[in-house]
Amino acid sequence: MRNSTYLKMGLNMLLHSKLRSWLTIIGIVIGIGSVVGILSLGEAMEEQVQSRLDEMDLTIITISPGYTRASSNMPGPPRGGGTSTDVELTDDDIKALQGLDGIEYIAGQISGSEPVVYAGENATMTITGVDPQVWQYMTTLETQSGRLLEPSDKYVAVIGSGVATDTYDQEIGVNQVITINGKSVRVVGILTEEGWGDRSIYMPIDTAVNVIDDAEDDVFDTITVKAKSEDLVEGLMEDIEDKLMVSRHIIQEDDQDFSVSASKSMAESVTEMTSSMTLFLGAIAAVSLLVGAVGIANTMFTSVLEKTKEIGTMKAIGAKNKDILMIFLFNSAMVGFVGGVLGVTLGAFVSSGLQAMMGQMTSGSGVSLHLIVEGLVLAITIGIISGVVPAYRASKLKPVDALRYE
């Protein structure tokens, strides 16, 4: 027999047992739909994370007061340490680090939440004081209007897009004046919309000390270091830790009272976590595929029993074992194919719905072409594998026994 004959006879078997076939196909639809939907959602999340990581400066290292293993990316066993409530980072720490090779820029910054008044309205905003000498070289933030801070700036600010457009009844424009703790501050730039920083205000650190309560000269909430290249980040983190241990007169590692973390390490951790979560959820969804495969095998065994006499007749008029085997395999492959098509469609709807619900956490790119192809191939493969044993048993039936079967 030719392949077209196998296909035609396999299709006839599918059409002549519609109810049983559709019940079997539903199992494949649910399995493939779950796997495709979850993997597609995972891909969309990874794309979004990667897009955000591409915008990050992976040469940035941050030094924070206090030490916990969770807040540090340095290798080694867990250690104790102080907390940020009783430890300060000062200008002496910056001076101690300035001689290290691999540092391109280093600066301290402070932050706090303060009431900000504009056009008679009051709102509490996050104020961040940065070094205007180097900030424009260390940040990845960009302005949609105006400019970033410059070295000679005093009592000026760069504000997030959310502060400019969504916080007050009247929008804040460049060169407008806001009031922070009674001090007038002129807006020189408005940042592009980016999500997490839209409600922040950046200003020179000298000005920030005068408007943030409890802020002190030469005392920082964090110290930020920009390495000359990504390749130097890991080694530079170790050098920074060693240098600060000496300059802060810390002998025992358990007494360490600062943390060193890198955006590069955090980015790698986020990527690994997202990939692991996608694989985990995909593995759970794949369990439903096993249920679908069992359903196909069950249907195929039933078909063999129902068509035993037909098999005997076909063999009596010359059909070979291979012909019987191929007819049943084509039938099970078609069950997998139909289930795969419907499953991929279901998965696309599920993925689109979840991506719409998750909003900015995903890229909203839908189901990729390779995932559609892989889903169909997987469904057909499961169909064929599930039908191998029943098809083999059908092909081995003896014509006389098959014709006598009741």
Side-chain angles (χ1 to χ4, degrees), residues 355-385:
Q355 289 182 35
M357 291 172 59
M358 298 178 71
Q360 292 184 344
M361 291 182 65
T362 65
S363 65
S365 56
V367 180
S368 61
L369 179 61
H370 79 87
L371 201 53
I372 293 175
V373 174
E374 289 173 0
L376 289 175
V377 171
L378 179 62
I380 295 172
T381 303
I382 288 176
I384 293 174
I385 292 174

Side-chain angles (χ1 to χ4, degrees), residues 94-357:
I94 292 181
K95 290 176 181 176
L97 297 176
Q98 282 176 332
L100 290 178
D101 292 335
I103 292 181
E104 186 169 12
Y105 299 109
I106 181 170
Q109 68 178 41
I110 62 174
S111 62
S113 295
E114 299 296 338
V116 179
V117 179
Y118 176 69
E121 292 184 75
N122 194 333
T124 300
M125 298 289 166
T126 300
I127 312 294
T128 302
V130 297
D131 186 346
Q133 302 280 344
V134 298
W135 185 59
Q136 59 182 306
Y137 306 112
M138 300 179 71
T139 184
T140 56
L141 298 173
E142 296 179 353
T143 56
Q144 60 178 340
S145 60
R147 61 172 174 80
L148 295 175
L149 299 176
E150 295 179 351
S152 60
D153 282 336
K154 299 284 186 183
Y155 287 96
V156 300
V158 174
I159 64 176
S161 61
V163 178
T165 59
D166 300 332
T167 305
Y168 303 97
D169 290 338
Q170 297 183 34
E171 289 191 11
I172 304 176
V174 174
N175 290 325
Q176 300 293 312
V177 176
I178 58 178
T179 303
I180 307 174
N181 269 346
K183 305 288 193 307
S184 297
V185 177
R186 183 169 60 90
V187 176
V188 296
I190 298 174
L191 298 172
T192 54
E193 184 176 352
E194 65 165 24
W196 59 270
D198 290 345
R199 291 179 62 81
S200 294
I201 296 176
Y202 298 88
M203 60 176 53
I205 192 167
D206 291 342
T207 304
V209 169
N210 293 329
V211 301
I212 296 177
D213 289 338
D214 301 328
E216 301 176 43
D217 288 328
D218 298 330
V219 176
F220 311 113
D221 293 320
T222 58
I223 294 175
T224 305
V225 175
K226 181 178 175 61
K228 291 180 179 177
S229 74
E230 287 184 33
D231 297 335
L232 298 176
V233 168
E234 193 169 330
L236 187 54
M237 288 175 67
E238 296 178 3
D239 292 342
I240 289 172
E241 185 166 313
D242 293 341
K243 193 73 175 181
L244 288 181
M245 293 283 283
V246 174
S247 67
R248 295 171 75 88
H249 308 294
I250 300 171
I251 299 176
Q252 300 293 330
E253 291 187 351
D254 289 342
D255 296 331
Q256 183 172 331
D257 59 1
F258 62 89
S259 298
V260 181
S261 60
S263 53
K264 181 180 180 181
S265 300
M266 288 187 285
E268 291 172 349
S269 298
V270 170
T271 302
E272 290 176 4
M273 183 179 67
T274 306
S275 300
S276 299
M277 185 176 68
T278 301
L279 287 175
F280 176 69
L281 294 177
I284 293 176
V287 173
S288 57
L289 273 177
L290 293 177
V291 177
V294 172
I296 293 178
N298 183 51
T299 299
M300 296 301 298
F301 277 117
T302 305
S303 295
V304 171
L305 293 176
E306 286 183 348
K307 298 184 179 300
T308 300
K309 280 197 171 183
E310 292 181 38
I311 295 171
T313 303
M314 292 172 63
K315 284 199 165 185
I317 61 176
K320 299 178 181 177
N321 290 355
K322 175 192 170 188
D323 297 328
I324 304 299
L325 179 74
M326 294 302 293
I327 290 170
F328 278 89
L329 286 182
F330 267 77
N331 178 245
S332 61
M334 275 187 280
V335 170
F337 174 74
V338 175
V341 172
L342 297 178
V344 169
T345 305
L346 175 65
F349 278 111
V350 171
S351 177
S352 299
L354 291 175
Q355 289 182 35
M357 291 172 59

